[in-house]
Amino acid sequence: MRYLCVLLLVAVLLCPQARTENIDEFKIRSSKVFSSVDNNFSLPKQGVQLEYRKINDGSAEARKTLFGYHIALDYEELENASNFELEGMFAHELSHIESYIDMNWFDIVIYAVKYQMFPGFRKEVEVNTDRRAIAMGFGTQLKSFREYRLRTASDSDKERLQKNYLSPEEIRTLTENWIQ
């Protein structure tokens, strides 16, 4: 029994994949990644606040609220994402934020209703957001993040990703065309 415990301890210490970071470590890491990406975008003066909570559909979401701009991250969905993959996720979410900047509250309400009620509008928003992230130079990171989500997401999230977002292959093609 003692040998089994020692073997398990050695495996955990030597295999980074066997360890998971706690939420505080993830907050620090994700904040650093966010800081490396956000200066590439035209963001509101008040900045963007990161929050950590369970998200029903997906792993992250960008919002404009009465209290400013927020990106919510689902720790359980993102804790194993690499920094490179997180860069792709942040580029996508910051592209959403950029699209909200010029919207007044009436526009935001109409936008939110259309997003929830009209699947075609939702797909158009998400595809255009992916395209904006690619145009900002984050195509390879976005592709990596999309592959991560397709590997790790629940079946319902995978279905939503395949239905509403660019596929990794489409991202690769657009990225290659954008670079040329």
Side-chain angles (χ1 to χ4, degrees):
M1 181 67 172
R2 178 186 298 172
Y3 295 112
L4 182 60
C5 290
V6 170
L7 183 62
L8 182 61
L9 179 62
V10 168
V12 167
L13 292 175
L14 294 179
C15 298
Q17 294 83 7
R19 287 179 276 171
T20 57
E21 62 190 350
N22 66 38
I23 182 106
D24 293 326
E25 293 167 330
F26 177 74
K27 286 179 180 181
I28 292 167
R29 181 169 70 92
S30 61
S31 292
K32 287 179 182 176
V33 173
F34 175 79
S35 295
S36 73
V37 173
D38 75 335
N39 59 359
N40 294 284
F41 292 83
S42 301
L43 299 176
K45 289 182 175 105
Q46 69 266 42
V48 177
Q49 300 298 312
L50 298 181
E51 53 186 60
Y52 302 86
R53 62 179 170 78
K54 179 73 178 147
I55 297 176
N56 293 329
D57 290 330
S59 58
E61 64 183 18
R63 290 191 173 188
K64 179 178 183 177
T65 71
L66 292 172
F67 307 106
Y69 298 87
H70 303 269
I71 295 177
L73 306 175
D74 190 325
Y75 165 70
E76 291 179 7
E77 297 289 335
L78 296 171
E79 69 176 318
N80 294 315
S82 70
N83 289 358
F84 192 74
E85 291 161 342
L86 290 176
E87 286 178 9
M89 179 271 304
F90 279 124
H92 178 90
E93 298 306 326
L94 288 168
S95 293
H96 276 299
I97 298 283
E98 276 190 341
S99 69
Y100 303 155
I101 291 172
D102 294 328
M103 291 185 196
N104 62 38
W105 286 107
F106 180 76
D107 294 337
I108 286 286
V109 169
I110 298 300
Y111 178 92
V113 169
K114 287 171 61 176
Y115 187 89
Q116 292 300 322
M117 297 192 68
F118 299 104
F121 181 76
R122 177 183 282 208
K123 180 174 181 141
E124 179 184 340
V125 165
E126 296 302 345
V127 166
N128 287 337
T129 301
D130 280 348
R131 288 175 184 263
R132 181 179 288 153
I134 292 165
M136 296 302 293
F138 291 92
T140 54
Q141 295 92 326
L142 181 63
K143 177 182 172 285
S144 182
F145 179 67
R146 191 63 39 79
E147 290 169 339
Y148 167 79
R149 289 296 295 144
L150 289 169
R151 278 192 321 272
T152 62
S154 68
D155 288 342
S156 62
D157 274 355
K158 286 178 190 175
E159 182 180 327
R160 189 178 47 75
L161 286 166
Q162 292 165 340
K163 182 177 176 184
N164 295 310
Y165 296 77
L166 293 175
S167 70
E169 184 61 28
E170 290 169 318
I171 294 169
R172 184 189 62 73
T173 300
L174 286 171
T175 300
E176 287 173 357
N177 291 338
W178 192 264
I179 292 171
Q180 295 174 356

